[in-house]
Amino acid sequence: MAYWDWPAAAGADAHRVVLCVHGLSRQGRDFDTLARELSLQARVLAVDVAGRGHSDWLADPMAYQVGTYVADLAKLIMHLREQDPAVRIDWVGTSMGGLIGMALAAQPAFGLRRLVLNDVGPVIQWEALLRIGTYLGLNPSFGSEKEAADHLVAISIGFGPHTPEQWQALSRPMLRERDGRWWLHYDPALALPLRALTDAPDQAAAQQAVKDGEAALWGLYDAITAPTLLLRGAQSDLLTPDTARAMTVRGPRAHCIEFAGVGHAPTLVAADQIAAVRDCLLAD
């Protein structure tokens, strides 16, 4: 598992680490802008979850599941604690990265100090899964970097308004050039577990399986005691207002901040989004 490491600036707290974990089809460089800001006060690590970015691809595609990722990140946390027993670890997780963070934060042994959940909660909307399934794992290739970047922008409208420079920064690490063609950075097979669900012959049973999973996720969420910040795109199709409200009154009673003009998910590039994370994690 590869990860990107921004050392803490001179004079910052050497024992403070922020772990940043991306969404389903993204990679660790999504956090470049946020990491530059947070590294003024803490060391920042942003992982490439298995099958993405510079991390290895899994031999068994059905292992592309949250449980696998939780085990991988648990090993990284243990590695950090071996390096520095006094380390204090905060977590920023976008979408899938938030689900991984919930599973780890629910276990006191991992000692996560604070938790930021970016546009995700225990309830995952079926319609959002269907939308993601329309593009995940299709493995398109493109004749130019610009053509590939334009494709990424087209499927990322939920990120909200960005400047051309910001879109370029978000898109370039998502691409790999090979034999004169441009490809997406991830293993196309990571879509297989999702397709096994969304394309199941018995759709009623598949949707019930998702509902059954929600109960387990709520159990994890309710076990979290770390101070928690919930970020939500006001137009998100994955995290509904009802779920967000429920998350503010149960479990860790997350403080929720919504961003207008954004769907799934805030990219943590805009100044107000960065400030929300910084104020939560680095206020003390």
Side-chain angles (χ1 to χ4, degrees), residues 45-102:
L45 303 181
V47 304
D48 288 345
V49 175
R52 288 87 165 169
H54 291 266
S55 289
D56 288 340
W57 293 7
L58 299 181
D60 176 10
M62 293 309 291
Y64 286 124
Q65 307 267 5
V66 170
T68 301
Y69 311 145
V70 170
D72 288 347
L73 270 296
K75 290 178 181 177
L76 178 56
I77 290 173
M78 289 186 287
H79 172 67
L80 293 171
R81 296 203 182 283
E82 289 170 359
Q83 286 183 327
D84 177 11
V87 70
R88 293 176 293 153
I89 301 174
D90 295 330
W91 186 283
V92 178
T94 295
S95 195
M96 178 190 76
L99 295 179
I100 301 168
M102 283 171 49

Short mmCIF file of all heavy atoms in Angstrom, two decimals, residues 45-102:
data_model
loop_
_atom_site.label_atom_id
_atom_site.label_comp_id
_atom_site.label_asym_id
_atom_site.label_seq_id
_atom_site.Cartn_x
_atom_site.Cartn_y
_atom_site.Cartn_z
N LEU A 45 -0.52 12.03 6.16
CA LEU A 45 -0.37 10.88 5.29
C LEU A 45 -1.66 10.69 4.50
O LEU A 45 -2.75 10.73 5.08
CB LEU A 45 -0.09 9.61 6.09
CG LEU A 45 1.14 9.59 7.01
CD1 LEU A 45 1.25 8.23 7.68
CD2 LEU A 45 2.40 9.90 6.24
N ALA A 46 -1.54 10.48 3.19
CA ALA A 46 -2.70 10.20 2.34
C ALA A 46 -2.44 8.91 1.59
O ALA A 46 -1.48 8.82 0.82
CB ALA A 46 -2.95 11.36 1.37
N VAL A 47 -3.25 7.91 1.84
CA VAL A 47 -2.99 6.58 1.28
C VAL A 47 -3.60 6.44 -0.11
O VAL A 47 -4.56 7.12 -0.47
CB VAL A 47 -3.55 5.47 2.19
CG1 VAL A 47 -2.99 5.59 3.60
CG2 VAL A 47 -5.06 5.49 2.22
N ASP A 48 -3.01 5.54 -0.89
CA ASP A 48 -3.65 4.96 -2.06
C ASP A 48 -4.18 3.61 -1.62
O ASP A 48 -3.42 2.66 -1.40
CB ASP A 48 -2.65 4.75 -3.21
CG ASP A 48 -2.21 6.04 -3.88
OD1 ASP A 48 -2.87 7.07 -3.68
OD2 ASP A 48 -1.20 6.02 -4.61
N VAL A 49 -5.49 3.50 -1.44
CA VAL A 49 -6.08 2.23 -0.99
C VAL A 49 -5.81 1.16 -2.05
O VAL A 49 -5.68 1.46 -3.24
CB VAL A 49 -7.60 2.41 -0.75
CG1 VAL A 49 -8.28 1.09 -0.42
CG2 VAL A 49 -7.83 3.42 0.38
N ALA A 50 -5.70 -0.09 -1.62
CA ALA A 50 -5.38 -1.20 -2.51
C ALA A 50 -6.16 -1.14 -3.81
O ALA A 50 -7.37 -0.90 -3.81
CB ALA A 50 -5.66 -2.53 -1.81
N GLY A 51 -5.44 -1.33 -4.92
CA GLY A 51 -6.06 -1.31 -6.24
C GLY A 51 -6.14 0.06 -6.87
O GLY A 51 -6.59 0.19 -8.02
N ARG A 52 -5.68 1.09 -6.13
CA ARG A 52 -5.75 2.46 -6.65
C ARG A 52 -4.36 3.08 -6.66
O ARG A 52 -3.47 2.69 -5.91
CB ARG A 52 -6.65 3.35 -5.78
CG ARG A 52 -8.14 3.07 -5.89
CD ARG A 52 -8.57 2.02 -4.95
NE ARG A 52 -10.03 1.96 -4.77
CZ ARG A 52 -10.64 0.98 -4.15
NH1 ARG A 52 -9.97 -0.03 -3.61
NH2 ARG A 52 -11.96 0.99 -4.02
N GLY A 53 -4.20 4.12 -7.48
CA GLY A 53 -2.98 4.91 -7.46
C GLY A 53 -1.75 4.06 -7.65
O GLY A 53 -1.63 3.29 -8.61
N HIS A 54 -0.81 4.18 -6.72
CA HIS A 54 0.46 3.45 -6.80
C HIS A 54 0.47 2.19 -5.94
O HIS A 54 1.51 1.54 -5.82
CB HIS A 54 1.60 4.38 -6.39
CG HIS A 54 1.86 5.47 -7.38
ND1 HIS A 54 2.80 5.36 -8.39
CD2 HIS A 54 1.29 6.67 -7.55
CE1 HIS A 54 2.81 6.45 -9.11
NE2 HIS A 54 1.89 7.28 -8.63
N SER A 55 -0.65 1.82 -5.35
CA SER A 55 -0.73 0.61 -4.56
C SER A 55 -0.93 -0.61 -5.46
O SER A 55 -1.41 -0.51 -6.59
CB SER A 55 -1.87 0.69 -3.54
OG SER A 55 -1.56 1.61 -2.52
N ASP A 56 -0.57 -1.79 -4.91
CA ASP A 56 -0.73 -3.03 -5.66
C ASP A 56 -2.20 -3.33 -5.92
O ASP A 56 -3.08 -2.92 -5.15
CB ASP A 56 -0.11 -4.20 -4.88
CG ASP A 56 1.40 -4.16 -4.87
OD1 ASP A 56 1.99 -3.48 -5.72
OD2 ASP A 56 1.99 -4.81 -3.99
N TRP A 57 -2.43 -4.09 -7.00
CA TRP A 57 -3.76 -4.61 -7.29
C TRP A 57 -3.91 -5.96 -6.59
O TRP A 57 -2.95 -6.72 -6.45
CB TRP A 57 -3.96 -4.77 -8.80
CG TRP A 57 -3.98 -3.46 -9.54
CD1 TRP A 57 -3.72 -2.22 -9.04
CD2 TRP A 57 -4.27 -3.29 -10.93
NE1 TRP A 57 -3.85 -1.26 -10.03
CE2 TRP A 57 -4.18 -1.89 -11.21
CE3 TRP A 57 -4.60 -4.15 -11.97
CZ2 TRP A 57 -4.40 -1.36 -12.47
CZ3 TRP A 57 -4.82 -3.62 -13.24
CH2 TRP A 57 -4.72 -2.24 -13.49
N LEU A 58 -5.12 -6.28 -6.16
CA LEU A 58 -5.37 -7.52 -5.44
C LEU A 58 -5.56 -8.69 -6.42
O LEU A 58 -6.18 -8.54 -7.48
CB LEU A 58 -6.61 -7.38 -4.56
CG LEU A 58 -6.54 -6.30 -3.48
CD1 LEU A 58 -7.84 -6.29 -2.67
CD2 LEU A 58 -5.34 -6.51 -2.56
N ALA A 59 -5.03 -9.85 -6.03
CA ALA A 59 -5.18 -11.03 -6.87
C ALA A 59 -6.64 -11.48 -6.94
O ALA A 59 -7.11 -11.96 -7.98
CB ALA A 59 -4.31 -12.16 -6.33
N ASP A 60 -7.36 -11.33 -5.84
CA ASP A 60 -8.77 -11.70 -5.78
C ASP A 60 -9.62 -10.44 -5.80
O ASP A 60 -9.71 -9.72 -4.80
CB ASP A 60 -9.05 -12.50 -4.50
CG ASP A 60 -10.53 -12.85 -4.33
OD1 ASP A 60 -11.30 -12.63 -5.29
OD2 ASP A 60 -10.90 -13.34 -3.24
N PRO A 61 -10.29 -10.15 -6.91
CA PRO A 61 -11.05 -8.90 -6.99
C PRO A 61 -12.19 -8.81 -5.99
O PRO A 61 -12.60 -7.72 -5.61
CB PRO A 61 -11.58 -8.88 -8.43
CG PRO A 61 -11.50 -10.29 -8.90
CD PRO A 61 -10.34 -10.90 -8.18
N MET A 62 -12.71 -9.95 -5.54
CA MET A 62 -13.80 -9.89 -4.56
C MET A 62 -13.30 -9.46 -3.18
O MET A 62 -14.10 -9.25 -2.27
CB MET A 62 -14.51 -11.24 -4.48
CG MET A 62 -15.25 -11.60 -5.76
SD MET A 62 -16.37 -10.29 -6.36
CE MET A 62 -17.63 -10.32 -5.08
N ALA A 63 -11.97 -9.33 -3.06
CA ALA A 63 -11.41 -8.79 -1.80
C ALA A 63 -11.42 -7.27 -1.78
O ALA A 63 -11.03 -6.67 -0.76
CB ALA A 63 -9.98 -9.31 -1.60
N TYR A 64 -11.86 -6.65 -2.86
CA TYR A 64 -12.01 -5.19 -2.85
C TYR A 64 -13.26 -4.83 -2.04
O TYR A 64 -14.32 -4.51 -2.58
CB TYR A 64 -12.10 -4.63 -4.28
CG TYR A 64 -10.79 -4.63 -5.02
CD1 TYR A 64 -10.66 -5.28 -6.25
CD2 TYR A 64 -9.68 -3.95 -4.51
CE1 TYR A 64 -9.46 -5.27 -6.94
CE2 TYR A 64 -8.47 -3.94 -5.20
CZ TYR A 64 -8.37 -4.60 -6.41
OH TYR A 64 -7.17 -4.58 -7.10
N GLN A 65 -13.13 -4.94 -0.73
CA GLN A 65 -14.22 -4.72 0.21
C GLN A 65 -13.70 -3.88 1.36
O GLN A 65 -12.49 -3.87 1.65
CB GLN A 65 -14.72 -6.06 0.75
CG GLN A 65 -15.10 -7.08 -0.29
CD GLN A 65 -16.58 -7.05 -0.65
OE1 GLN A 65 -17.32 -6.18 -0.19
NE2 GLN A 65 -17.01 -8.00 -1.47
N VAL A 66 -14.61 -3.22 2.05
CA VAL A 66 -14.20 -2.35 3.16
C VAL A 66 -13.43 -3.12 4.22
O VAL A 66 -12.47 -2.60 4.79
CB VAL A 66 -15.43 -1.64 3.76
CG1 VAL A 66 -15.07 -0.92 5.07
CG2 VAL A 66 -16.01 -0.63 2.77
N GLY A 67 -13.80 -4.36 4.46
CA GLY A 67 -13.09 -5.14 5.47
C GLY A 67 -11.61 -5.29 5.16
O GLY A 67 -10.76 -5.22 6.07
N THR A 68 -11.28 -5.48 3.89
CA THR A 68 -9.87 -5.56 3.48
C THR A 68 -9.16 -4.25 3.75
O THR A 68 -8.04 -4.23 4.29
CB THR A 68 -9.78 -5.89 1.97
OG1 THR A 68 -10.44 -7.13 1.72
CG2 THR A 68 -8.32 -5.98 1.52
N TYR A 69 -9.81 -3.16 3.41
CA TYR A 69 -9.18 -1.85 3.57
C TYR A 69 -9.00 -1.50 5.05
O TYR A 69 -7.99 -0.88 5.42
CB TYR A 69 -10.03 -0.77 2.88
CG TYR A 69 -10.44 -1.11 1.47
CD1 TYR A 69 -11.68 -0.71 0.98
CD2 TYR A 69 -9.60 -1.83 0.61
CE1 TYR A 69 -12.08 -1.01 -0.32
CE2 TYR A 69 -10.00 -2.13 -0.68
CZ TYR A 69 -11.24 -1.73 -1.14
OH TYR A 69 -11.64 -2.03 -2.42
N VAL A 70 -9.96 -1.89 5.87
CA VAL A 70 -9.83 -1.65 7.31
C VAL A 70 -8.60 -2.37 7.84
O VAL A 70 -7.81 -1.81 8.62
CB VAL A 70 -11.10 -2.11 8.06
CG1 VAL A 70 -10.88 -2.09 9.57
CG2 VAL A 70 -12.28 -1.20 7.69
N ALA A 71 -8.40 -3.63 7.43
CA ALA A 71 -7.24 -4.38 7.88
C ALA A 71 -5.94 -3.71 7.42
O ALA A 71 -4.96 -3.63 8.19
CB ALA A 71 -7.31 -5.81 7.36
N ASP A 72 -5.91 -3.24 6.19
CA ASP A 72 -4.71 -2.56 5.67
C ASP A 72 -4.40 -1.30 6.47
O ASP A 72 -3.24 -1.06 6.84
CB ASP A 72 -4.90 -2.20 4.20
CG ASP A 72 -4.87 -3.40 3.28
OD1 ASP A 72 -4.45 -4.49 3.73
OD2 ASP A 72 -5.28 -3.25 2.10
N LEU A 73 -5.41 -0.49 6.72
CA LEU A 73 -5.18 0.77 7.42
C LEU A 73 -4.87 0.52 8.89
O LEU A 73 -4.12 1.29 9.51
CB LEU A 73 -6.38 1.69 7.26
CG LEU A 73 -6.37 2.64 6.05
CD1 LEU A 73 -5.21 3.64 6.16
CD2 LEU A 73 -6.28 1.90 4.73
N ALA A 74 -5.41 -0.55 9.46
CA ALA A 74 -5.06 -0.90 10.84
C ALA A 74 -3.56 -1.18 10.94
O ALA A 74 -2.90 -0.78 11.91
CB ALA A 74 -5.86 -2.12 11.29
N LYS A 75 -3.01 -1.85 9.93
CA LYS A 75 -1.57 -2.12 9.94
C LYS A 75 -0.77 -0.82 9.85
O LYS A 75 0.27 -0.69 10.49
CB LYS A 75 -1.22 -3.06 8.79
CG LYS A 75 -1.74 -4.47 8.98
CD LYS A 75 -1.41 -5.35 7.79
CE LYS A 75 -1.97 -6.76 7.98
NZ LYS A 75 -1.70 -7.62 6.79
N LEU A 76 -1.26 0.13 9.06
CA LEU A 76 -0.55 1.41 8.96
C LEU A 76 -0.60 2.14 10.30
O LEU A 76 0.41 2.71 10.74
CB LEU A 76 -1.17 2.28 7.86
CG LEU A 76 -0.56 3.67 7.69
CD1 LEU A 76 0.94 3.60 7.44
CD2 LEU A 76 -1.25 4.43 6.55
N ILE A 77 -1.74 2.12 10.96
CA ILE A 77 -1.84 2.76 12.28
C ILE A 77 -0.87 2.11 13.27
O ILE A 77 -0.17 2.81 14.02
CB ILE A 77 -3.29 2.70 12.79
CG1 ILE A 77 -4.18 3.63 11.96
CG2 ILE A 77 -3.36 3.09 14.28
CD1 ILE A 77 -5.66 3.50 12.28
N MET A 78 -0.81 0.79 13.25
CA MET A 78 0.11 0.11 14.15
C MET A 78 1.56 0.45 13.83
O MET A 78 2.40 0.61 14.72
CB MET A 78 -0.13 -1.39 14.10
CG MET A 78 -1.45 -1.81 14.75
SD MET A 78 -1.68 -3.60 14.86
CE MET A 78 -2.01 -4.00 13.14
N HIS A 79 1.85 0.59 12.53
CA HIS A 79 3.19 0.98 12.11
C HIS A 79 3.54 2.37 12.65
O HIS A 79 4.65 2.61 13.15
CB HIS A 79 3.27 0.96 10.59
CG HIS A 79 4.53 1.52 10.02
ND1 HIS A 79 5.77 0.93 10.19
CD2 HIS A 79 4.76 2.64 9.27
CE1 HIS A 79 6.70 1.65 9.58
NE2 HIS A 79 6.11 2.69 9.03
N LEU A 80 2.59 3.30 12.58
CA LEU A 80 2.83 4.65 13.09
C LEU A 80 3.06 4.63 14.59
O LEU A 80 3.91 5.37 15.11
CB LEU A 80 1.64 5.55 12.75
CG LEU A 80 1.43 5.87 11.26
CD1 LEU A 80 0.11 6.59 11.05
CD2 LEU A 80 2.59 6.70 10.71
N ARG A 81 2.33 3.79 15.30
CA ARG A 81 2.50 3.72 16.76
C ARG A 81 3.83 3.04 17.13
O ARG A 81 4.41 3.36 18.17
CB ARG A 81 1.32 3.00 17.40
CG ARG A 81 0.01 3.76 17.21
CD ARG A 81 -1.02 3.40 18.25
NE ARG A 81 -2.27 4.12 18.01
CZ ARG A 81 -2.49 5.39 18.30
NH1 ARG A 81 -1.52 6.12 18.84
NH2 ARG A 81 -3.65 5.96 18.03
N GLU A 82 4.29 2.13 16.28
CA GLU A 82 5.62 1.55 16.52
C GLU A 82 6.71 2.60 16.31
O GLU A 82 7.70 2.63 17.05
CB GLU A 82 5.84 0.36 15.58
CG GLU A 82 5.00 -0.86 15.94
CD GLU A 82 5.06 -1.92 14.86
OE1 GLU A 82 5.74 -1.68 13.82
OE2 GLU A 82 4.43 -2.98 15.02
N GLN A 83 6.53 3.45 15.31
CA GLN A 83 7.49 4.52 15.07
C GLN A 83 7.52 5.51 16.22
O GLN A 83 8.58 6.01 16.60
CB GLN A 83 7.13 5.27 13.77
CG GLN A 83 7.43 4.54 12.48
CD GLN A 83 7.11 5.41 11.28
OE1 GLN A 83 6.18 6.21 11.30
NE2 GLN A 83 7.89 5.25 10.22
N ASP A 84 6.33 5.83 16.75
CA ASP A 84 6.21 6.86 17.78
C ASP A 84 5.06 6.50 18.73
O ASP A 84 3.90 6.76 18.43
CB ASP A 84 5.95 8.22 17.13
CG ASP A 84 5.73 9.34 18.13
OD1 ASP A 84 5.98 9.11 19.34
OD2 ASP A 84 5.31 10.43 17.73
N PRO A 85 5.36 5.89 19.87
CA PRO A 85 4.29 5.50 20.81
C PRO A 85 3.44 6.67 21.29
O PRO A 85 2.31 6.46 21.75
CB PRO A 85 5.06 4.86 21.97
CG PRO A 85 6.36 4.41 21.37
CD PRO A 85 6.69 5.43 20.31
N ALA A 86 3.95 7.89 21.18
CA ALA A 86 3.20 9.06 21.64
C ALA A 86 2.36 9.70 20.53
O ALA A 86 1.75 10.75 20.75
CB ALA A 86 4.16 10.11 22.22
N VAL A 87 2.32 9.07 19.36
CA VAL A 87 1.63 9.68 18.23
C VAL A 87 0.14 9.84 18.53
O VAL A 87 -0.47 9.01 19.19
CB VAL A 87 1.84 8.84 16.95
CG1 VAL A 87 1.08 7.51 17.03
CG2 VAL A 87 1.41 9.62 15.71
N ARG A 88 -0.42 10.96 18.04
CA ARG A 88 -1.87 11.21 18.11
C ARG A 88 -2.39 11.27 16.69
O ARG A 88 -1.90 12.06 15.88
CB ARG A 88 -2.15 12.51 18.85
CG ARG A 88 -1.77 12.46 20.34
CD ARG A 88 -1.98 13.80 21.00
NE ARG A 88 -1.04 14.78 20.49
CZ ARG A 88 -1.26 16.09 20.46
NH1 ARG A 88 -2.40 16.58 20.89
NH2 ARG A 88 -0.34 16.91 20.01
N ILE A 89 -3.37 10.43 16.38
CA ILE A 89 -3.80 10.24 15.00
C ILE A 89 -5.23 10.73 14.81
O ILE A 89 -6.15 10.32 15.53
CB ILE A 89 -3.71 8.75 14.60
CG1 ILE A 89 -2.26 8.26 14.74
CG2 ILE A 89 -4.20 8.55 13.17
CD1 ILE A 89 -2.10 6.76 14.51
N ASP A 90 -5.40 11.62 13.83
CA ASP A 90 -6.72 12.07 13.39
C ASP A 90 -7.00 11.44 12.02
O ASP A 90 -6.08 11.05 11.30
CB ASP A 90 -6.77 13.59 13.28
CG ASP A 90 -6.60 14.27 14.63
OD1 ASP A 90 -7.00 13.69 15.64
OD2 ASP A 90 -6.05 15.40 14.64
N TRP A 91 -8.26 11.40 11.65
CA TRP A 91 -8.68 10.73 10.41
C TRP A 91 -9.57 11.65 9.59
O TRP A 91 -10.53 12.22 10.11
CB TRP A 91 -9.45 9.45 10.76
CG TRP A 91 -9.82 8.59 9.58
CD1 TRP A 91 -10.82 8.79 8.68
CD2 TRP A 91 -9.17 7.38 9.19
NE1 TRP A 91 -10.84 7.79 7.76
CE2 TRP A 91 -9.85 6.90 8.05
CE3 TRP A 91 -8.09 6.64 9.71
CZ2 TRP A 91 -9.47 5.71 7.41
CZ3 TRP A 91 -7.72 5.47 9.08
CH2 TRP A 91 -8.40 5.01 7.94
N VAL A 92 -9.26 11.77 8.30
CA VAL A 92 -10.14 12.45 7.34
C VAL A 92 -10.49 11.44 6.27
O VAL A 92 -9.60 10.95 5.56
CB VAL A 92 -9.45 13.67 6.71
CG1 VAL A 92 -10.38 14.33 5.67
CG2 VAL A 92 -9.05 14.69 7.78
N GLY A 93 -11.77 11.09 6.16
CA GLY A 93 -12.17 10.08 5.19
C GLY A 93 -13.29 10.57 4.30
O GLY A 93 -14.35 10.98 4.78
N THR A 94 -13.05 10.53 2.99
CA THR A 94 -14.07 10.90 2.01
C THR A 94 -14.80 9.64 1.55
O THR A 94 -14.17 8.68 1.10
CB THR A 94 -13.43 11.60 0.80
OG1 THR A 94 -12.86 12.84 1.21
CG2 THR A 94 -14.46 11.86 -0.29
N SER A 95 -16.11 9.63 1.68
CA SER A 95 -16.95 8.54 1.18
C SER A 95 -16.43 7.20 1.70
O SER A 95 -16.48 6.94 2.90
CB SER A 95 -17.00 8.60 -0.35
OG SER A 95 -18.04 7.80 -0.86
N MET A 96 -15.91 6.33 0.83
CA MET A 96 -15.37 5.05 1.28
C MET A 96 -14.35 5.22 2.40
O MET A 96 -14.32 4.44 3.36
CB MET A 96 -14.74 4.30 0.10
CG MET A 96 -14.10 2.97 0.46
SD MET A 96 -13.14 2.28 -0.91
CE MET A 96 -11.67 3.34 -0.84
N GLY A 97 -13.51 6.24 2.28
CA GLY A 97 -12.53 6.50 3.33
C GLY A 97 -13.17 6.81 4.66
O GLY A 97 -12.59 6.52 5.72
N GLY A 98 -14.36 7.38 4.64
CA GLY A 98 -15.10 7.62 5.87
C GLY A 98 -15.63 6.34 6.48
O GLY A 98 -15.63 6.17 7.71
N LEU A 99 -16.08 5.40 5.64
CA LEU A 99 -16.56 4.12 6.15
C LEU A 99 -15.41 3.36 6.82
O LEU A 99 -15.60 2.75 7.89
CB LEU A 99 -17.15 3.28 5.02
CG LEU A 99 -18.41 3.83 4.34
CD1 LEU A 99 -18.84 2.89 3.22
CD2 LEU A 99 -19.53 4.01 5.35
N ILE A 100 -14.24 3.40 6.20
CA ILE A 100 -13.07 2.76 6.81
C ILE A 100 -12.77 3.41 8.15
O ILE A 100 -12.51 2.73 9.15
CB ILE A 100 -11.85 2.85 5.87
CG1 ILE A 100 -12.14 2.17 4.53
CG2 ILE A 100 -10.61 2.23 6.52
CD1 ILE A 100 -11.10 2.48 3.46
N GLY A 101 -12.83 4.74 8.18
CA GLY A 101 -12.57 5.46 9.42
C GLY A 101 -13.57 5.14 10.51
O GLY A 101 -13.21 5.03 11.69
N MET A 102 -14.85 4.98 10.15
CA MET A 102 -15.86 4.62 11.14
C MET A 102 -15.53 3.27 11.79
O MET A 102 -15.64 3.11 13.01
CB MET A 102 -17.24 4.56 10.49
CG MET A 102 -17.88 5.91 10.23
SD MET A 102 -19.39 5.81 9.21
CE MET A 102 -20.29 4.51 10.05
#
